Amino acid sequence: MSPAQLTTGICARLNNSENDDDDLFNSQPTIQFLSFKRVPPSGGTSTMDRYRVIVSDGEHFLQSMLATQLNHLVEEEQIVKHSIAVIEKFTCNLVQGKKLLIILALRVVQKDAEKIGSPGPLQPRGGGSGPSVDTQAPTPVAAASPAPSTSANTTAPPPQPTRPPTQGSRSGRAAVYPIESLSPYQNHWTIKARVTSKSDIRTWSNQRGEGKLFNITLMDESGEIRATAFNAAVDEFYDRIQEGKVYYISKAKVNLAKKKFSTVSNEYELTLERSTDVEECPDASDVPTVKFNFVTIAGLQEMPKDSVCDIIGVVKEVGELSSITSKATNKEIPKRELTVVDDTEFSVRVTLWGKQAEQFNVTDQPVIAFKGAKVGDFQGRSLSIMSSSSLILNPDIPEAHRLRGWYDAIGAGQTYQSHTSSMPTGGGVNFDRAEIRSLSEVKGSDLGMSDKVDTFSSRATIMHVKGDNLTYPACPAQGCGKKVVQMGDSWRCEKCDKSYPKPEHRYMVSMAVADYSGQAWFQGFNEVGRVVFGKSADELVEIRDRDDAQYNQLLDSTIGTTYNFACRARQDNYNDQVRVRYAISRILPLNYREEASYLSNLLLRSEWSR
């Protein structure tokens, strides 16, 4: 196969380009990739790698970056060393006096090819007269021996954009910049972006005064950015900017992002001022709708605390509207909890806040997609929907149609494992299959008899669950869980100094477990009870109060069930007697496929397999 023709002189033209070279930035040059280097994320909420690449036109080479939406081309090896591609959309930034090409869209012409020409480095901008540039039609360049390797290991400081690609002529409007190219080092820019989420107006009051703000998330095909309006800008833009619509935005201030308050993966954010220009765009066909990067509910187990993710599932249960009192403002904040499930047979608790909580009254078990949900570890894994997050009911996407069909066919009748139950609930204790101890070994090793807490893993079968004091009435406020006392028609929480119309019952489980070597008593709390009984404590209390026979049947159904446990052994004193308590930190139903795989790997590593 004959080599494709590269666009002769394009690297030199890009290196010496000026802001008004529309012909250059609207062209689609053909280049060859010489090398790829993965650049890890720099921290914050950004978790995506970047790829620094070197491109060649056969005469010279130029350092470049791939936009993150093109990462899959490298990871799936659709482009490799010496691949030839047409750059369909690009921009250039100036970094330490050198041009950095940012590739936003490309089309692969030839994946496997020989190196073309003997490309060399370009002169720095402003150095000498610069290389000559051939602006005529591209000519073929014969294959030659490899050029000396070049380094792309240096992570660039914040770039200074010089000229983005134009997107067609518009009367009186500057060129449209991709969101990914924005930085504090440029002044005159316009973006064309869709508002994918819009928060409520929030107010604050402190020693420096009072104020209000709202924020939006903007998205184009290159990425996302968060924008915030304060005080007078709130009055100017809150009613004008609508979620889902596309706008031209310019004259906003670009700042470093405050990662503490944002889930958007961008190192910068915008501040909307009264002088900011916001104009609705009637032609929104070239701006994508919300992009999702879904994680399965089972996959939340691998997500670190405080990370953000997108999930999609079916709303199985909708909790009642309640509220908590903010310690900072002493104001009540509405909240509502949803139970969301998917076809991994896991469920997760999702908390809505503010107006989202008040306005969510859907009861027909819709498919729901969350973007930018925050992962929490209160009583295990849970999700919280923040002001910068967004939710979409019954989105018209393939994942939603698949879940709808699955749930209507079989999902509605299934039982689900509470995702929080499979996560550490205290002290970061994890189940280690390779370190399982028998119960007799746990007792014989005097675990928990020292001043420190000992941890261990065990596999045991439930022999008995105490039916007395199995649950207690708890405060329904998130983060509390303290026992409440009934006072007339309400329930009083002393910690929150507040009364509630009804409590949220929680488990306090004491169970006798046994293995081949002996027996022990294990204690666990709410998530342990959810796993063992497959119901919330409120549901169990309702059954107990309504039907003793069914309640006793549920207790009996737990006998003979086997689980993997991660426990903490700790010494305490009861009636002047020293004893050891075994508290369950993690409980896992047996996964026979995982157990079989583990045993199989043991056999493969043993002497028998040699």
Side-chain angles (χ1 to χ4, degrees):
M1 181 178 179
S2 61
Q5 293 183 346
L6 305 184
T7 304
T8 305
I10 189 62
C11 290
R13 288 187 63 193
L14 290 170
N15 187 61
N16 293 282
S17 62
E18 300 297 337
N19 289 352
D20 57 355
D21 196 345
D22 288 346
D23 290 339
L24 172 62
F25 285 97
N26 286 324
S27 66
Q28 295 189 354
T30 302
I31 52 86
Q32 184 174 46
F33 293 104
L34 298 185
S35 70
F36 301 88
K37 178 176 177 59
R38 183 175 65 87
V39 181
S42 59
T45 61
S46 176
T47 59
M48 297 190 69
D49 294 331
R50 301 292 298 273
Y51 285 94
R52 184 178 290 274
V53 301
I54 295 179
V55 302
S56 162
D57 61 7
E59 296 180 5
H60 299 97
F61 55 78
L62 185 66
Q63 292 204 28
S64 312
M65 292 288 288
L66 287 182
T68 53
Q69 69 265 25
L70 303 181
N71 283 3
H72 70 283
L73 298 178
V74 179
E75 294 162 356
E76 298 171 5
E77 296 186 351
Q78 296 183 39
I79 52 176
V80 295
K81 187 176 181 180
H82 298 158
S83 291
I84 298 173
V86 173
I87 305 179
E88 297 180 328
K89 196 169 185 181
F90 61 93
T91 183
C92 281
N93 291 342
L94 188 62
V95 178
Q96 295 180 333
K98 298 180 180 179
K99 278 295 178 64
L100 179 70
L101 173 68
I102 298 179
I103 302 173
L104 301 173
L106 64 85
R107 171 169 49 86
V108 180
V109 174
Q110 188 175 343
K111 176 183 174 182
D112 298 309
E114 296 293 329
K115 184 176 179 180
I116 297 176
S118 182
L122 289 158
Q123 293 186 18
R125 284 173 57 84
S129 59
S132 60
V133 179
D134 182 5
T135 59
Q136 303 302 315
T139 58
V141 183
S145 59
S149 62
T150 57
S151 171
N153 296 340
T154 304
T155 301
Q160 180 179 353
T162 57
R163 171 68 173 176
T166 59
Q167 298 183 4
S169 59
R170 289 175 303 275
S171 176
R173 188 187 306 284
V176 172
Y177 283 61
I179 285 175
E180 192 172 57
S181 72
L182 295 183
S183 80
Y185 303 97
Q186 61 192 118
N187 296 317
H188 303 294
W189 51 263
T190 298
I191 60 172
K192 179 182 179 182
R194 187 182 302 274
V195 179
T196 58
S197 69
K198 175 184 172 183
S199 74
D200 299 332
I201 296 176
R202 302 196 302 278
T203 59
W204 78 85
S205 177
N206 54 35
Q207 294 178 344
R208 292 180 293 179
E210 299 179 347
K212 57 186 176 181
L213 65 88
F214 81 97
N215 56 68
I216 57 177
T217 301
L218 298 165
M219 182 190 72
D220 66 9
E221 61 185 9
S222 73
E224 294 179 302
I225 194 167
R226 173 182 164 109
T228 304
F230 296 91
N231 300 326
V234 174
D235 301 329
E236 180 75 20
F237 295 118
Y238 189 79
D239 293 330
R240 287 175 54 189
I241 297 177
Q242 300 298 319
E243 187 171 332
K245 291 188 176 182
V246 175
Y247 298 89
Y248 291 115
I249 299 177
S250 60
K251 299 181 183 179
K253 188 176 181 180
V254 184
N255 305 302
L256 284 171
K258 297 180 178 65
K259 298 295 186 179
K260 180 180 178 181
F261 304 108
S262 176
T263 63
V264 176
S265 181
N266 196 318
E267 296 302 314
Y268 303 113
E269 62 186 17
L270 302 179
T271 299
L272 305 182
E273 301 171 324
R274 293 200 66 179
S275 59
T276 299
D277 289 338
V278 176
E279 178 186 341
E280 185 176 346
C281 174
D283 178 17
S285 58
D286 60 338
V287 181
T289 54
V290 180
K291 296 177 183 177
F292 292 102
N293 184 21
F294 289 123
V295 174
T296 64
I297 295 179
L300 289 174
Q301 180 171 345
E302 309 302 326
M303 300 293 293
K305 178 181 180 294
D306 293 331
S307 62
V308 296
C309 65
D310 305 341
I311 72 159
I312 186 169
V314 178
V315 180
K316 187 172 177 63
E317 297 176 5
V318 179
E320 294 185 1
L321 184 67
S322 59
S323 64
I324 64 169
T325 301
S326 169
K327 293 180 180 179
T329 64
N330 204 34
K331 293 182 179 180
E332 287 194 358
I333 303 174
K335 60 170 282 194
R336 188 190 301 272
E337 292 186 348
L338 313 179
T339 300
V340 179
V341 301
D342 69 4
D343 52 2
T344 62
E345 298 184 12
F346 271 79
S347 67
V348 67
R349 184 178 71 251
V350 182
T351 303
L352 308 181
W353 302 94
K355 286 187 178 179
Q356 282 187 331
E358 293 176 328
Q359 296 171 358
F360 194 94
N361 56 2
V362 180
T363 57
D364 58 350
Q365 296 184 319
V367 175
I368 191 167
F370 297 98
K371 183 170 182 62
K374 186 175 182 179
V375 179
D377 66 351
F378 175 67
Q379 300 170 355
R381 280 295 179 266
S382 59
L383 295 174
S384 183
I385 305 305
M386 301 179 293
S387 60
S388 56
S389 310
S390 58
L391 65 86
I392 301 176
L393 292 173
N394 297 315
D396 187 14
I397 56 177
E399 294 90 343
H401 302 318
R402 177 181 57 80
L403 280 175
R404 181 79 274 161
W406 159 79
Y407 190 80
D408 292 344
I410 59 174
Q414 289 184 338
T415 57
Y416 297 88
Q417 181 176 337
S418 173
H419 191 18
T420 55
S421 65
S422 66
M423 300 303 297
T425 58
V429 183
N430 290 307
F431 174 75
D432 187 347
R433 190 173 279 103
E435 297 294 332
I436 288 179
R437 295 193 179 198
S438 67
L439 296 179
S440 64
E441 184 183 357
V442 169
K443 293 181 177 180
S445 301
D446 289 333
L447 295 182
M449 292 299 292
S450 61
D451 292 335
K452 68 181 183 69
V453 176
D454 293 314
T455 62
F456 65 92
S457 297
S458 179
R459 179 175 297 134
T461 301
I462 296 176
M463 308 304 294
H464 174 71
V465 176
K466 284 187 177 180
D468 298 334
N469 300 319
L470 183 56
T471 65
Y472 70 96
C475 176
Q478 185 180 31
C480 182
K482 294 294 185 181
K483 187 174 181 179
V484 293
V485 179
Q486 188 171 15
M487 302 181 67
D489 295 331
S490 62
W491 296 79
R492 178 75 178 171
C493 176
E494 294 299 332
K495 179 183 176 183
C496 297
D497 192 23
K498 188 175 178 181
S499 295
Y500 299 91
K502 67 176 184 178
E504 179 186 79
H505 287 88
R506 300 178 66 82
Y507 284 107
M508 189 167 54
V509 183
S510 180
M511 64 176 79
V513 300
D515 64 7
Y516 67 91
S517 67
Q519 178 177 308
W521 283 92
F522 284 2
Q523 282 75 38
F525 291 95
N526 201 50
E527 297 307 328
V528 173
R530 281 179 171 269
V531 174
V532 171
F533 291 100
K535 301 178 182 297
S536 68
D538 283 329
E539 291 173 310
L540 192 72
V541 168
E542 190 273 329
I543 293 172
R544 182 196 66 190
D545 295 342
R546 173 173 49 82
D547 190 336
D548 282 341
Q550 185 180 359
Y551 176 68
N552 291 328
Q553 186 178 4
L554 278 173
L555 291 178
D556 292 341
S557 69
T558 64
I559 298 174
T561 53
T562 303
Y563 296 92
N564 289 327
F565 296 95
C567 297
R568 294 178 297 170
R570 184 172 186 173
Q571 177 181 295
D572 73 356
N573 194 304
Y574 181 74
N575 289 338
D576 295 327
Q577 290 187 349
V578 176
R579 63 178 185 177
V580 177
R581 292 174 60 88
Y582 303 120
I584 302 169
S585 294
R586 187 174 187 180
I587 180 171
L588 292 168
L590 294 187
N591 183 320
Y592 291 100
R593 177 176 294 179
E594 289 183 3
E595 302 295 343
S597 176
Y598 175 73
L599 294 175
S600 174
N601 289 333
L602 281 182
L603 290 173
L604 291 173
R605 294 195 300 268
S606 71
E607 294 182 356
W608 296 350
S609 65
R610 296 172 187 153

